[in-house]
């Protein structure tokens, strides 16, 4: 069987094992989270042996792919390979400038990037702690804001989210990598109806897309549906309702499964969205948050007539045990 070399150690690959699986099995310190090729926290650089296959470079920027970077969780080598942690050039230094509770479980964190960090609002960045812990968070701010705004939901037992909530206050240093993801506004069709729907902190990229659309003078209708189990799972309600009041073509609709309050719709997010939108054929859709719901809504929009190239989705796939 082929072997993986990493930090001067050799690890034997088992049958159909990925680079990440082999390294973790042997206790190597390698950042990771989703293990599904989405979050990009397991980025490595090929420095010898087999070149990374296209499947291990899916979703990476052209620059990362050209410099031999790959996702360790998506790479099943057929021959020996040597990998290293990513180039320092791929990492941007950051400092937390503000941290504020948006709800009992969601914190808004504003990071100043100390090096050049180009992104579109709605993409996601890999946030890295000094010890290498890495998780992806979507960007709610615009490049012109001068900071990178993240909405972080506290996850019971979660390593990064609890650190960001409880320990990493203003002035804390961290690093950013990326950005990645296709959930961002594309100018050029200002009259096209836009559908933005998400659950929980899936709101973060949607706020980024909404604000960018408005900054570009988008004139078509924009529907924002924010879903939660109960009203406590929503946040930014007043801010978004005010935005909708200021822009006649923007509709903001909170949706909960239970205990709806005034102005909220009750029901499953996918049912409400499909019912309210009617025929989504002409729409561009952005769907973010809980993976099961994201996949369900994406499928239902497609089956209802939306073109797949007009559906942009980010499923917030989490890892298993913290590492
Ligand atoms: C593209 C993308 C965008 C994202 N955007 C956002 C965003 O904008 N906002 C946001 O809040 N999140 C976002 N996420 C999710 C985020 O990346 C993290 O996965 C999330 O914050 C949890 O990280 P954590 O370190 O706190 O939890 P982890 O430590 O990774 O734990 C994850 C899960 O594993 C469980 N777990 C932990 N330890 C164990 C154990 N020993 N045994 C069994 N189970 C265990 C935890 O309870 C938790 O349920 C995004 C994810 C992706 C892929
Ligand atoms: S992309 Fe590999 S762990 Fe998420």
């Amino acid at each position: 069987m082929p072997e993986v070399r990493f930090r001067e150690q050799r690890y034997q690959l088992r049958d159909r094992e990925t680079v990440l699986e082999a390294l973790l099995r042997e206790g190597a310190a390698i950042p990771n989270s989703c293990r599904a090729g989405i979050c990009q926290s397991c980025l490595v650089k090929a420095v010898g042996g087999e070149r990374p296959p296209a499947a291990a470079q899916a979703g990476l920027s052209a620059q990362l792919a050209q410099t031999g970077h790959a996702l360790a969780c998506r790479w099943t080598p057929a021959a020996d390979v040597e990998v290293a942690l990513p180039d320092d050039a791929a990492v941007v230094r950051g400092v937390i400038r503000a941290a504020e509770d948006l709800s009992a479980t969601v914190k808004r964190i504003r990071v100043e990037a100390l090096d050049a960090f180009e992104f579109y609002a709605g993409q996601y960045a890999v946030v890295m702690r000094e010890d290498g812990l890495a998780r992806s968070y979507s960007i709610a701010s615009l490049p012109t804001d001068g900071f990178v705004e993240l909405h972080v939901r506290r996850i019971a037992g979660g390593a990064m989210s609890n650190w960001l909530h409880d320990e990493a206050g203003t002035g804390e240093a961290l690093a950013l990598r990326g950005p990645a993801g296709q959930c961002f506004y594309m100018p050029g069709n200002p009259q096209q109806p836009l559908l933005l729907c998400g659950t929980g902190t899936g709101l973060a990229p949607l706020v980024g897309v909404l604000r960018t659309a408005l900054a570009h003078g988008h004139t078509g209708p924009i529907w924002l549906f924010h879903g939660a189990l109960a009203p406590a799972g929503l946040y930014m309600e007043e801010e978004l309702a005010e935005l909708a009041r200021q822009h006649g073509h923007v509709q903001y609709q909170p949706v909960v499964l239970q205990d709806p309050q005034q102005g909220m719709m009750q029901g499953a997010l996918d049912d409400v969205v499909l019912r309210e939108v009617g025929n989504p054929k002409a729409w561009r859709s952005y769907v973010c948050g809980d993976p099961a719901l994201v996949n369900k809504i994406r499928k239902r929009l497609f089956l209802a007539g939306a073109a797949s190239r007009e559906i942009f989705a980010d499923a917030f796939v989490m890892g298993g045990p913290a590492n």
Side-chain angles (χ1 to χ4, degrees):
M1 294 301 285
E3 68 176 21
V4 180
R5 268 167 292 147
F6 176 61
R7 289 183 157 161
E8 294 173 11
Q9 300 287 322
R10 291 164 184 271
Y11 304 91
Q12 286 297 321
L13 279 155
R14 292 181 182 161
D15 192 27
R16 283 194 287 269
E17 205 171 37
T18 65
V19 169
L20 181 66
E21 284 165 342
L23 295 180
L24 291 179
R25 175 168 49 74
E26 298 297 335
I30 171 107
N32 71 95
S33 181
C34 72
R35 303 183 196 175
I38 297 169
C39 73
Q40 300 200 0
S41 62
C42 67
L43 192 72
V44 291
K45 183 175 182 181
V47 290
E50 182 186 280
R51 301 298 300 158
Q57 296 189 315
L60 296 187
S61 67
Q63 194 192 358
L64 283 177
Q66 280 158 14
T67 49
H69 289 84
L71 300 174
C73 72
R74 278 292 181 242
W75 190 357
T76 309
D80 290 354
V81 60
E82 181 169 3
V83 297
L85 290 177
D87 284 347
D88 283 349
V91 175
V92 167
R93 292 167 307 136
V95 111
I96 296 181
R97 294 295 183 207
E100 174 200 0
D101 286 338
L102 289 172
S103 75
T105 53
V106 177
K107 203 167 234 191
R108 167 192 271 153
I109 291 178
R110 288 180 172 162
V111 179
E112 181 190 352
L114 301 178
D115 309 307
F117 186 62
E118 288 178 19
F119 65 89
Y120 295 112
Q123 289 188 291
Y124 57 90
V126 179
V127 172
M128 287 177 293
R129 201 168 67 178
E130 208 175 21
D131 63 359
L133 184 74
R135 301 285 185 265
S136 303
Y137 293 98
S138 300
I139 305 174
S141 51
L142 274 55
T144 47
D145 289 332
F147 50 77
V148 177
E149 176 171 314
L150 315 170
H151 299 172
V152 179
R153 184 161 70 96
R154 187 195 287 277
I155 299 294
M160 180 66 92
S161 61
N162 284 284
W163 179 71
L164 288 169
H165 271 256
D166 299 334
E167 294 174 51
T170 307
E172 184 79 43
L174 40 72
L176 301 173
R177 209 179 52 220
Q182 301 300 315
C183 270
F184 55 84
Y185 179 77
M186 280 157 279
N189 195 356
Q191 286 157 10
Q192 184 176 29
L194 298 183
L195 168 64
L196 315 176
C197 57
T199 53
T201 45
L203 183 64
L206 304 180
V207 166
V209 172
L210 170 60
R211 287 189 53 221
T212 312
L214 294 175
H216 277 89
H218 194 90
T219 53
I222 306 177
W223 270 91
L224 170 59
F225 293 91
H226 187 205
L229 188 62
L234 300 169
Y235 63 94
M236 286 181 71
E237 297 108 295
E238 280 181 23
E239 214 171 315
L240 293 169
E242 179 56 30
L243 199 72
R245 272 192 294 275
Q246 286 170 9
H247 301 275
H249 61 308
V250 176
Q251 300 268 359
Y252 161 61
Q253 184 55 63
V255 181
V256 292
L257 263 178
Q258 59 197 43
D259 307 325
Q261 295 168 2
Q262 199 182 5
M264 299 176 187
M265 285 183 179
Q266 184 172 18
L269 186 61
D270 55 319
D271 290 340
V272 171
V273 165
L274 269 291
R275 186 187 69 218
E276 295 298 315
V277 164
N279 184 348
K281 204 171 174 182
W283 292 64
R284 168 165 294 168
S285 305
Y286 297 86
V287 192
C288 301
D290 173 67
L293 203 58
V294 164
N295 288 332
K296 200 169 177 188
I297 295 177
R298 184 161 52 178
K299 194 170 172 187
R300 288 191 65 179
L301 286 170
F302 176 71
L303 292 175
S308 57
R309 66 175 180 282
E310 294 288 353
I311 306 174
F312 298 87
D314 270 341
F316 290 4
V317 180
M318 289 187 201
N323 43 46

